[in-house]
Amino acid sequence: MTGLPLNIDFQQILLHLFNFTILFGALYILLYKPVRDFMAKRTEYYADMDSKAEEALHEAESSKEVYAEKVRTFDEETRAEKAKMNQEVAAQRDRQLAQAKEDAEKIVSDARVEANREKEEIIASAQREITDMVTGAMEKLTLEQSASDAFDQFLDAAEAE
Amino acid sequence: MSKQERRKAILIFAVIALVFMVGAILTGAGPEKETIQEVMRDAVLHDINKVSLFGLEVNPGLLAGVIVSGIMIVFALICRIFVIPKFTMVPGKFQLVLETAVGIFVNMAKGNSKINRFLGAYIFAAGAYIFTGTLFELFGVQAVTINGVSISLPAPLSDINGAIMMGCLSYLVIVSGGIAGNGIRGIGKALKEYSLPISLSFRLFGALLSGALVTELVYHYSSLSYVLPVLVGVLFTLLHALIQAYVLTMLTSLFYGQVSDNTPKPLKDKNADGTGRKITRLKLRRLPKLQHHN
């Protein structure tokens, strides 16, 4: 079609349109769609990976919290156990100290009793010995005074046997 | 390579370039078949140099469009068969280029509209076509006109018919976005922007044509044919290929997003008691009091 300004030709416009439509279709099927689909697939792949990582991180954080709680509980238990043990040790120590004190007192009192007894025994023994000595001396004196009497008595006794 | 060898290579290169330059000057431009006015007029109107496409007399831009489409389809086919099946999660260089090219348009569509599946595909195709088509003129692919004259094929969209097709199609896509987002009301919203097909078409046509005209002008005079084409031919073409691809796709997705947006309009500002009086009125009433007080 001629007669339009600038040589505008509807037939050629339609031919351009036809040409471009074919190009559009071919580019869409051969290039645009496959590349876009691949990009979408990759985005999905990385989004999936990201969500999995997020999930794993979340799980790790919750596990961390659980373990931290366990550690806290364990610490508290250990502290309580330690305190209890300390108390027991202290009680045991007190008991042993008391026992030792008691034993020591008993040993001291026993020793004191024993010493008193031995002292008394020694005194009694000394007294006996003194008495014996005195008696012996007296007897000796007595014997010396009557030696002849004694000799006679001896002979009498021997004869009597 | 030693310093002496390098110097020798540079000298040989300079001599060869000089020989070509002298040859170009001595042989001359040959008999002028077309004046610059005719060349530029034909670049705008395409009323002299027509080419044959399957028996039809068409503008060279249409033939260029068909060739560009063919090249792009073959490229896409090669990518589909040999490259895309070998895509990896960590992309290589070429995969990165493809993904970036697609990703730019996918993100542009997502950023501008909630309904973006078709829009992304359309702006990808349009952007790729404008970019590749504009770069195509750099290669100077030759064609023979029906008059037997050899011409270098221009960018497909420097042909007014190609630009009108692209502008109007983009407008139709915007209308389709209005229908998808808002039904019949969407058509009304899209029709409000009735100047869009013309502005989109002629912006594209003007931009690409100006590039073509400057290039024609530079190549027409042999005195301008040294060094300057490197700037004009390559840099300008690369630049406006990028800019035009970006501008059309951005405008299309912006308007598409605007007409397909179906979020309800916010209600008018009301007082807390719901009397419907605007807050601005209250402010106006209170301001003089404050001033008086001060």
Side-chain angles (χ1 to χ4, degrees):
Chain A
M1 190 184 280
T2 54
L4 288 167
L6 291 168
N7 269 339
I8 294 169
D9 186 340
F10 283 113
Q11 188 191 33
Q12 288 195 45
I13 291 173
L14 289 174
L15 283 171
H16 270 289
L17 192 60
F18 172 69
N19 176 47
F20 182 74
T21 310
I22 290 170
L23 177 69
F24 169 72
L27 282 184
Y28 179 74
I29 294 165
L30 298 173
L31 207 60
Y32 181 79
K33 193 171 179 291
V35 174
R36 194 197 58 194
D37 288 351
F38 181 82
M39 285 161 74
K41 202 170 78 180
R42 183 172 47 205
T43 309
E44 199 179 319
Y45 171 76
Y46 281 114
D48 188 44
M49 195 186 263
D50 189 47
S51 69
K52 275 181 186 168
E54 194 82 24
E55 210 171 289
L57 187 71
H58 197 71
E59 270 178 27
E61 271 172 10
S62 58
S63 300
K64 190 183 162 190
E65 275 174 23
V66 167
Y67 283 114
E69 185 59 39
K70 277 185 182 173
V71 168
R72 253 197 315 275
T73 315
F74 179 73
D75 279 351
E76 278 170 17
E77 279 175 8
T78 312
R79 258 198 304 277
E81 197 70 25
K82 203 175 164 184
K84 195 178 159 191
M85 292 295 283
N86 281 341
Q87 277 177 351
E88 274 180 20
V89 167
Q92 183 77 19
R93 190 188 60 206
D94 290 347
R95 268 199 305 277
Q96 280 178 350
L97 269 173
Q99 184 69 37
K101 208 178 268 180
E102 201 176 307
D103 288 351
E105 279 173 5
K106 191 171 178 261
I107 287 165
V108 170
S109 70
D110 285 354
R112 205 170 279 156
V113 168
E114 186 70 17
N116 283 337
R117 192 180 56 78
E118 277 181 7
K119 187 183 157 190
E120 280 169 9
E121 268 180 14
I122 288 164
I123 291 168
S125 167
Q127 279 176 346
R128 259 195 316 272
E129 277 176 14
I130 291 165
T131 309
D132 287 347
M133 278 167 68
V134 171
T135 310
M138 287 300 289
E139 276 176 0
K140 217 178 222 180
L141 282 175
T142 313
L143 279 173
E144 278 173 5
Q145 283 173 357
S146 58
S148 55
D149 294 338
F151 188 68
D152 290 338
Q153 282 175 359
F154 176 69
L155 287 177
D156 290 339
E159 278 176 5
E161 279 180 10
Chain B
M1 190 185 271
S2 70
K3 205 173 179 183
Q4 203 177 358
E5 282 175 332
R6 200 183 301 157
R7 203 174 287 169
K8 203 173 168 183
I10 291 169
L11 194 70
I12 290 169
F13 179 76
V15 168
I16 290 170
L18 198 68
V19 167
F20 285 151
M21 191 176 165
V22 170
I25 292 166
L26 290 177
T27 50
E32 284 287 335
K33 286 180 182 168
E34 289 177 313
T35 62
I36 184 66
Q37 288 85 355
E38 282 171 341
V39 169
M40 296 187 93
R41 180 190 152 85
D42 191 49
V44 180
L45 299 174
H46 299 294
D47 56 349
I48 302 167
N49 290 323
K50 298 268 186 187
V51 291
S52 173
L53 180 72
F54 305 117
L56 287 169
E57 280 184 24
V58 295
N59 295 343
L62 182 57
L63 180 63
V66 171
I67 293 171
V68 168
S69 297
I71 291 168
M72 288 174 75
I73 290 170
V74 170
F75 173 76
L77 200 63
I78 290 169
C79 287
R80 184 70 190 90
I81 295 168
F82 298 111
V83 181
I84 293 172
K86 290 176 186 169
F87 269 13
T88 51
M89 285 294 167
V90 179
K93 283 176 189 169
F94 189 61
Q95 184 185 339
L96 199 63
V97 170
L98 288 180
E99 284 187 13
T100 308
V102 173
I104 285 170
F105 295 106
V106 169
N107 291 335
M108 192 187 277
K110 277 183 185 169
N112 285 300
S113 177
K114 287 175 194 165
I115 309 159
N116 51 46
R117 204 175 170 79
F118 175 71
L119 177 67
Y122 174 74
I123 58 174
F124 172 73
Y129 185 59
I130 295 168
F131 183 74
T132 318
T134 310
L135 288 188
F136 177 74
E137 71 179 9
L138 265 183
F139 296 97
V141 176
Q142 296 292 301
V144 178
T145 65
I146 51 173
N147 303 324
V149 179
S150 174
I151 55 162
S152 100
L153 289 176
L157 298 170
S158 66
D159 176 8
I160 182 90
N161 299 314
I164 288 174
M165 176 280 293
M166 188 54 81
C168 292
L169 187 61
S170 298
Y171 183 67
L172 284 177
V173 169
I174 291 166
V175 173
S176 77
I179 296 168
N182 293 304
I184 303 293
R185 202 159 53 88
I187 301 176
K189 271 176 115 176
L191 287 175
K192 275 183 198 167
E193 308 288 346
Y194 58 87
S195 65
L196 258 184
I198 300 164
S199 71
L200 284 175
S201 304
F202 282 84
R203 179 182 291 113
L204 203 57
F205 176 60
L208 294 176
L209 183 70
S210 60
L213 289 181
V214 171
T215 314
E216 286 283 359
L217 190 67
V218 168
Y219 283 119
H220 192 80
Y221 297 106
S222 55
S223 57
L224 293 175
S225 297
Y226 305 100
V227 183
L228 202 57
V230 176
L231 288 174
V232 175
V234 181
L235 293 184
F236 283 10
T237 310
L238 269 173
L239 205 65
H240 80 243
L242 270 175
I243 292 169
Q244 290 315 312
Y246 178 73
V247 167
L248 185 117
T249 52
M250 175 53 84
L251 285 175
T252 306
S253 49
L254 265 176
F255 282 109
Y256 187 97
Q258 219 170 59
V259 299
S260 64
D261 185 21
N262 56 6
T263 48
K265 279 184 182 175
L267 294 169
K268 280 181 183 176
D269 292 331
K270 285 186 176 180
N271 287 338
D273 59 355
T275 52
R277 280 179 300 182
K278 283 184 179 178
I279 289 168
T280 46
R281 194 184 292 174
L282 281 171
K283 277 180 186 168
L284 282 172
R285 204 181 286 168
R286 279 177 189 170
L287 270 171
K289 270 185 184 177
L290 285 168
Q291 281 163 359
H292 179 72
H293 189 72
N294 288 335

